[in-house]
Amino acid sequence: MDILSLLLVFPVITALGILVAKKDKVVRWTALSGSIVQLFLAIGITAYYVSLRNAGETGQMLLESSYEWFAPLQIYFSAAVDGISLVMILMTAMVVVAGILVSWKIGKQVKEFFFLILLLSLSAYGFFISTNLFVMFFFLELAVIPKYLLIGVWGSGRKDYSAMKLALMLMFGSALVFIGILGLFYFTGAQTWDFQEIAKMHIPIETQRILYVLLFTGFGVFTAMFPFHTWAPDGHSSAPTAASMFLAGISMKLGGYGCLRVATYLLPDAAQELSWIFIITASIAIIYGAFATMMQKDLKYMNAYSSVSHCGFVILGIAMLTKAAVTGAVMQMVSHGIMTALFFASIGMIYDRAHTRQADELGGMLKQMPFIGSAFIISGLCSLGLPGFSGFVSEMTVFVGSWERTGVFYRVATILACASIVVTAVYILRAVGFAIWGTVTNKEYLKFKDATWSERSAAVLLTLGILIIGLAPFLFIHLIDADTTSIVSRFIAVVGK
């Protein structure tokens, strides 16, 4: 068995262990043990990959393997990784462990809840390691149903509406993706689902234009691209804490990864010609998301709308087509995945105790719950781009890379994106001021206890990820540098490549 297959085997084994467990305590420890194994496996695979690169391996994708699934239609379970897919896998593994730890006290249908969490992790790993477009689509679809169930069964508020809206919107995106990959298979002369083989073939520009719009829009729906973003605020606000962490931390990154790896990489001529469309949608999302966040009082809605804004940086960086911008987009996907998971985790901790997410009904949380308050502040400061945290290096790299694309249109889009930082600072500092600092507004809050061991462990793990990227970005860039160079080299007239 190849090493990448273990990323799928361990979630399956863990899920089966959960199903046969008799007691809730055993279910929790089985889920946690399995997720920790996945994290160490992801770290081990990354270390092995780096050693291969240092030893002189120059292939675009390494650790390749392929197993026949349905040969008549050229469907093979083909897996391989490069630096970009590896950082996504590492981010996924961290968020999975943290999500399970934060959900330690969940008491409703415990076995089913953790089973769905493991199913989500399986779909994410499968998506990031797949080189066969059909298999990649299979894992993309596999992730939709667990999201629907997690919100519909364990959610709050208008959970039925939110779950249905999320499922329908994402299935719409999936339909566009499926039409796009069918087009790549049948109408390009490729007759293969392997994106490495498709990348070697010349696709007529007329075909590229149609497929690029379909694929970028389809994957863009998953990353809450404007105007298909409306599922995200409702979905996040109604989802249980771990599901919110998965939706924003992992699932939205499936879309960004697909926009880069499939739409942009395989259809470079169309990307060169039509990327301006998605630069416009990204700029609108960044500004609209920031101002919409400033109007929110519910902390979950605040983080959800800010995710629309921050994921706009991902789309902007990909669409700018310069090496620095693409590097920043990848960094932003990972940074936002970890940061927003910590944000939702800390909001969930506060809600579990105060039973409210309204910022103006809270106050003095830092005094009564210093650890939870500190986690909230760290995630907020990362969100507004404080130097030393991952948000700063990722957003600055997007800005610098975007500015490299010459032309009034591109410069205006870059300036608008930069201007959103001011609005972000307003809503983050306001949220911290209302909810965390100040005096305790409700005497009942004086009875609250600080974070449990599981909540502390989750917050420390995610904070560590934020700090590693923020303080040592060279480690991250070294891992993905060759791959961003390979992607950008496919564009003919890109400044700064």
Side-chain angles (χ1 to χ4, degrees):
M1 180 182 295
D2 64 278
I3 190 171
L4 291 182
S5 296
L6 294 176
L7 282 170
L8 306 181
V9 170
F10 278 114
V12 171
I13 293 174
T14 306
L16 292 175
I18 288 171
L19 290 179
V20 301
K22 300 295 185 181
K23 298 181 179 179
D24 290 347
K25 182 178 180 180
V26 176
V27 169
R28 294 186 179 96
W29 281 107
T30 301
L32 179 59
S33 301
S35 65
I36 291 174
V37 170
Q38 294 169 39
L39 176 59
F40 279 107
L41 178 61
I43 295 171
I45 292 173
T46 303
Y48 183 47
Y49 173 88
V50 171
S51 69
L52 291 175
R53 287 294 189 201
N54 292 337
E57 291 283 352
T58 57
Q60 180 188 351
M61 308 286 284
L62 301 184
L63 307 178
E64 293 183 275
S65 62
S66 184
Y67 303 97
E68 182 179 305
W69 193 357
F70 191 67
L73 285 180
Q74 299 297 314
I75 299 174
Y76 295 84
F77 178 76
S78 302
V81 291
D82 64 359
I84 295 174
S85 52
L86 277 174
V87 295
M88 297 298 167
I89 289 169
L90 286 169
M91 175 199 68
T92 299
M94 292 180 66
V95 175
V96 170
V97 174
I100 289 173
L101 285 168
V102 168
S103 307
W104 202 255
K105 289 185 176 180
I106 195 163
K108 179 182 178 181
Q109 295 175 262
V110 177
K111 180 181 295 188
E112 291 80 1
F113 179 87
F114 285 107
F115 176 82
L116 292 174
I117 292 292
L118 267 297
L119 188 59
L120 273 177
S121 70
L122 171 69
S123 62
Y125 291 132
F127 182 84
F128 290 133
I129 68 174
S130 295
T131 59
N132 185 289
L133 293 179
F134 187 92
V135 177
M136 183 181 286
F137 173 78
F138 168 80
F139 283 111
L140 183 70
E141 281 287 270
L142 184 63
V144 174
I145 301 304
K147 298 172 195 173
Y148 172 81
L149 292 175
L150 284 168
I151 296 173
V153 177
W154 290 272
S156 59
R158 298 194 301 169
K159 60 181 183 179
D160 294 332
Y161 167 81
S162 300
M164 184 60 69
K165 185 177 184 179
L166 176 143
L168 292 177
M169 290 288 287
L170 295 189
M171 287 180 179
F172 167 70
S174 296
L176 296 181
V177 170
F178 191 59
I179 295 170
I181 64 173
L182 281 177
L184 286 172
F185 183 81
Y186 285 110
F187 302 121
T188 63
Q191 296 296 297
T192 178
W193 302 102
D194 192 302
F195 70 69
Q196 295 184 87
E197 294 300 319
I198 295 173
K200 298 175 183 177
M201 300 178 181
H202 174 71
I203 302 174
I205 184 61
E206 296 80 9
T207 304
Q208 284 199 37
R209 291 190 188 108
I210 298 171
L211 298 183
Y212 175 74
V213 173
L214 284 171
L215 287 167
F216 205 108
T217 303
F219 283 116
V221 172
F222 280 81
T223 199
M225 181 181 72
F226 183 89
F228 306 104
H229 65 285
T230 56
W231 64 267
D234 290 323
H236 290 316
S237 65
S238 296
T241 300
S244 294
M245 295 167 68
F246 272 72
L247 281 173
I250 299 174
S251 296
M252 292 174 74
K253 309 310 173 288
L254 303 181
Y257 183 85
C259 288
L260 177 62
R261 178 73 79 193
V262 181
T264 303
Y265 179 70
L266 297 183
L267 306 163
D269 297 330
Q272 185 89 349
E273 184 177 311
L274 300 176
S275 62
W276 61 270
I277 299 173
F278 300 105
I279 290 175
I280 292 175
T281 63
S283 300
I284 295 173
I286 291 169
I287 298 299
Y288 161 77
F291 278 103
T293 305
M294 194 166 62
M295 303 300 292
Q296 305 304 314
K297 293 183 179 180
D298 185 308
L299 295 177
K300 262 201 170 184
Y301 266 107
M302 186 179 295
N303 197 22
Y305 275 105
S306 73
S307 292
V308 173
S309 180
H310 283 95
C311 285
F313 291 123
V314 174
I315 300 297
L316 181 69
I318 294 172
M320 283 296 184
L321 306 180
T322 68
K323 181 180 177 182
V326 171
T327 300
V330 177
M331 295 183 74
Q332 177 68 359
M333 280 192 274
V334 178
S335 169
H336 179 261
I338 299 172
M339 175 272 293
T340 200
L342 179 60
F343 220 152
F344 274 122
S346 57
I347 292 170
M349 296 176 202
I350 293 172
Y351 180 76
D352 286 343
R353 291 158 174 81
H355 302 295
T356 181
R357 299 193 302 254
Q358 300 299 314
D360 54 1
E361 295 177 5
L362 299 168
M365 295 293 106
L366 187 62
K367 178 179 179 181
Q368 191 60 29
M369 299 181 294
F371 187 92
I372 296 176
S374 298
F376 188 97
I377 292 172
I378 289 171
S379 56
L381 295 178
C382 180
S383 179
L384 64 79
L386 185 74
F389 294 128
S390 60
F392 173 77
V393 293
S394 59
E395 291 178 14
M396 284 301 298
T397 308
V398 171
F399 296 154
V400 171
S402 298
W403 192 258
E404 289 177 355
R405 188 81 183 266
T406 56
V408 175
F409 171 76
Y410 303 107
R411 295 291 170 82
V412 170
T414 305
I415 291 170
L416 288 174
C418 293
S420 70
I421 297 175
V422 179
V423 185
T424 302
V426 171
Y427 66 70
I428 290 297
L429 294 177
R430 179 185 294 174
V432 171
F434 276 124
I436 306 301
W437 289 332
T439 58
V440 177
T441 57
N442 188 329
K443 291 183 179 179
E444 291 297 317
Y445 296 168
L446 296 174
K447 302 176 183 178
F448 293 165
K449 293 183 179 180
D450 209 356
T452 63
W453 70 269
S454 59
E455 293 169 335
R456 290 174 186 268
S457 300
V460 168
L461 176 63
L462 296 173
T463 301
L464 185 62
I466 289 172
L467 292 175
I468 289 175
I469 299 174
L471 298 176
F474 56 87
L475 297 174
F476 189 102
I477 293 173
H478 177 71
L479 188 59
I480 69 171
D481 184 66
D483 308 302
T484 53
T485 300
S486 174
I487 290 173
V488 174
S489 66
R490 292 174 60 83
F491 305 110
I492 300 171
V494 179
V495 177
K497 65 182 178 179

